[in-house]
Amino acid sequence: MNSSVETKCIHEGWKPKNGEPRELPIYQSTTFKYDSSDDMGKLFDLEAEGYFYTRLQNPTNDMVAAKICAMEGGCAAMLTSSGQAANFYAMFNICENGDHFIASSSIYGGTYNLFGVTMKKMGIECTFVDQNLSEEELEKYFKPNTKAVFGETITNPTVSVLDIEKFARVAHKHGVPLIVDNTFATPVNCRPFEWGADIVTHSTTKYMDGHAVSVGGCIVDSGNFDWMAHKEKFPGLTTPDESYHGITYAERFGKGAYITKATAQLMRDFGSIQSPQNAFYLNLGLESLAVRMERHCANALAVAKFLKANDKVAWVHYADLEDDEYHEMAKKYLPKGSCGVLSFAIKGGRANAIAFMDSLKFASIVTHVADAKTCLLHPASHTHRQMSEEQLLEAGVSPDLIRLSVGIENVEDIIADLQQALDQI
Ligand SMILES: *Cc1c(COP(=O)(O)O)cnc(C)c1O
């Protein structure tokens, strides 16, 4: 269907045939029945397509993955139990013990830990780089065993915009894919494949679900990266898989190779499946995503301007502000608006930041971000607590930074709440 992303949000995925339910059914079943043992055997050999056990695949999940895939303009997708699982699978699907990859140092704290600490224990090394380095400087970080480059379209929580084309060019020059976490922008505001990214990941927990009811993730493959052209770098895709009777994914599945391997191998062995019930909630969220993003962006811009004009506020970062350092990048990659999240600081340091946050009426202090309700958090005291002062600075998270996730309430009410809390300090 050659329609706009707003229409895809609603009509892609589940497409009922004559007499079938209008709304996406929840296949609340762990298992699927077959008439003969031969029918079932073919599924296990990946010779026929079909469902056999929900740890690997479930029809409800697949319909929702297909919708996100269409919205991103990809060729194959899978849901995962969380954004963390999505980023882990996306990377582990092509990196093995002894491999290396490069990631922006400004990424989400959870991903920073996963890449820098947990994956290191698996023998996979990550080098974190300043995403604003020039192409020449970035190239210095590539090694013979580098297998991927990773960044976030809009970083959480510093809301910096990634120069996707620059990252893609450097990655491709070194024969590796670019993986982009598109959580904050969503495919409504940016589709990284259009700028050269090869794989996109999401924490669907954020805007996609949109109502803070279900944790989830998604991986989408563009199908554009030619694994066979870099055969020696990606043996997991280009040589026989002994756990699947010698199937070579890139030969057998072509553009579907990456997602087929992540499903058949990683989901089989690690089992981070999304529950069909949660996938149903996610699908509801997706139906209104385009409308909500428009409102989130309009409200956030008004709030950013309000904060910027207040003399108790030290600084505001929001790429849609004309004098923001990322404004030119945002105009290029996010012409419809960036997202509802901004970061700012209150003069007088940590104590004033805490006093301000504790005085808010409906804007609540929660770990979450990117849902309908305005909420905020002080990363240095909360999400990034485990990081050293040095790591915080490397990630661009100054100790006074407050992450504000602007919701879809009436914007005058949001501003009034912020105003009365600022008046308390
Ligand atoms: C929240 C988040 C994640 C992790 O997702 P979960 O669903 O919480 O596991 C990954 N990347 C970004 C950009 C996020 O905001």
Side-chain angles (χ1 to χ4, degrees):
M1 188 164 66
N2 192 19
S3 57
S4 60
V5 71
E6 290 83 354
T7 305
K8 288 177 178 164
C9 282
I10 294 161
H11 288 291
E12 283 292 344
W14 170 242
K15 292 176 183 169
K17 297 190 198 72
N18 195 30
E20 286 186 338
R22 182 70 194 89
E23 298 311 317
L24 171 69
I26 305 171
Y27 286 84
Q28 193 70 44
S29 181
T30 59
T31 194
F32 300 83
K33 175 190 162 293
Y34 289 92
D35 290 340
S36 76
S37 114
D38 192 41
D39 287 344
M40 183 92 141
K42 286 195 176 111
L43 297 176
F44 275 98
D45 285 348
L46 302 182
E47 273 174 20
E49 276 188 43
Y51 297 94
F52 49 100
Y53 191 53
T54 286
R55 166 148 52 74
L56 282 103
Q57 277 183 289
N58 173 282
T60 304
N61 292 14
D62 282 358
M63 299 302 171
V64 180
K67 175 179 281 192
I68 297 172
C69 187
M71 289 165 65
E72 287 286 5
C75 83
M78 68 195 283
L79 296 189
T80 57
S81 57
S82 67
Q84 285 298 109
N87 282 329
F88 173 61
Y89 281 24
M91 202 52 84
F92 196 64
N93 204 32
I94 48 175
C95 289
E96 300 181 356
N97 186 335
D99 286 344
H100 167 260
F101 65 96
I102 294 169
S104 158
S105 59
S106 310
I107 54 172
Y108 171 68
T111 314
Y112 190 95
N113 268 329
L114 168 69
F115 288 174
V117 182
T118 301
M119 288 184 74
K120 195 171 171 182
K121 293 178 188 162
M122 302 171 155
I124 299 167
E125 186 201 2
C126 173
T127 303
F128 293 104
V129 298
D130 175 351
Q131 65 182 34
N132 294 324
L133 291 178
S134 70
E135 289 186 47
E136 295 70 43
E137 288 168 313
L138 285 171
E139 284 195 43
K140 293 185 192 142
Y141 293 96
F142 282 83
K143 305 180 189 188
N145 61 341
T146 302
K147 300 296 166 73
V149 177
F150 181 95
E152 292 173 359
T153 311
I154 305 171
T155 61
N156 177 4
T158 48
V159 290
S160 312
V161 180
L162 179 71
D163 188 344
I164 302 172
E165 279 192 316
K166 176 182 76 180
F167 262 49
R169 266 197 307 274
V170 180
H172 295 160
K173 194 167 168 191
H174 291 267
V176 302
L178 170 62
I179 304 177
V180 172
D181 180 330
N182 197 33
T183 297
F184 272 17
T186 82
V188 171
N189 284 348
C190 178
R191 289 173 297 281
F193 295 154
E194 293 172 3
W195 303 101
D198 302 286
I199 291 148
V200 158
T201 59
H202 283 281
S203 165
T204 61
T205 318
K206 314 295 166 54
Y207 289 117
M208 284 188 167
D209 169 88
H211 304 81
V213 297
S214 55
V215 173
C218 184
I219 308 172
V220 189
D221 181 16
S222 66
N224 294 335
F225 194 84
D226 187 352
W227 308 105
M228 285 314 257
H230 307 280
K231 205 170 183 307
E232 73 298 338
K233 272 197 204 297
F234 304 104
L237 282 153
T238 61
T239 61
D241 176 2
E242 58 200 58
S243 72
Y244 259 116
H245 323 302
I247 282 179
T248 299
Y249 293 99
E251 278 174 358
R252 177 82 168 268
F253 299 104
K255 283 178 178 291
Y258 178 88
I259 292 293
T260 304
K261 175 177 179 290
T263 304
Q265 243 179 23
L266 303 187
M267 203 51 101
R268 178 196 62 188
D269 295 351
F270 294 118
S272 319
I273 197 79
Q274 188 165 135
S275 80
Q277 183 76 40
N278 277 5
F280 175 84
Y281 293 135
L282 170 57
N283 187 56
L284 281 184
L286 288 169
E287 290 198 357
S288 61
L289 181 65
V291 182
R292 288 185 289 105
M293 287 311 287
E294 208 177 304
R295 177 71 167 253
H296 277 294
C297 291
N299 280 1
L301 183 57
V303 167
K305 286 181 177 163
F306 159 78
L307 290 170
K308 189 113 193 174
N310 193 295
D311 56 12
K312 288 183 181 166
V313 172
W315 53 262
V316 181
H317 286 311
Y318 185 60
D320 297 359
L321 286 174
E322 272 172 23
D323 56 355
D324 191 82
E325 73 174 294
Y326 291 100
H327 190 60
E328 286 308 309
M329 210 87 85
K331 277 204 302 198
K332 173 175 172 178
Y333 293 112
L334 302 149
K336 292 202 282 190
S338 57
C339 64
V341 182
L342 56 87
S343 67
F344 73 105
I346 289 175
K347 290 177 186 162
R350 220 172 166 126
N352 276 356
I354 306 276
F356 163 78
M357 290 175 57
D358 289 348
S359 306
L360 289 162
K361 299 270 193 276
F362 72 77
S364 49
I365 303 171
V366 296
T367 313
H368 203 242
V369 61
D371 67 73
K373 303 175 188 73
T374 296
C375 61
L376 74 180
L377 164 121
H378 184 227
S381 311
H382 307 133
T383 44
H384 287 57
R385 220 185 161 88
Q386 74 288 354
M387 281 185 166
S388 66
E389 196 89 345
E390 198 182 25
Q391 285 174 320
L392 279 175
L393 291 176
E394 197 193 10
V397 181
S398 57
D400 57 352
L401 181 148
I402 296 173
R403 181 182 73 188
L404 177 61
S405 176
V406 181
I408 55 176
E409 302 94 342
N410 180 302
V411 72
E412 286 170 21
D413 294 339
I414 301 171
I415 289 175
D417 195 14
L418 298 172
Q419 179 71 65
Q420 66 77 28
L422 283 167
D423 290 343
Q424 310 292 314
I425 49 175

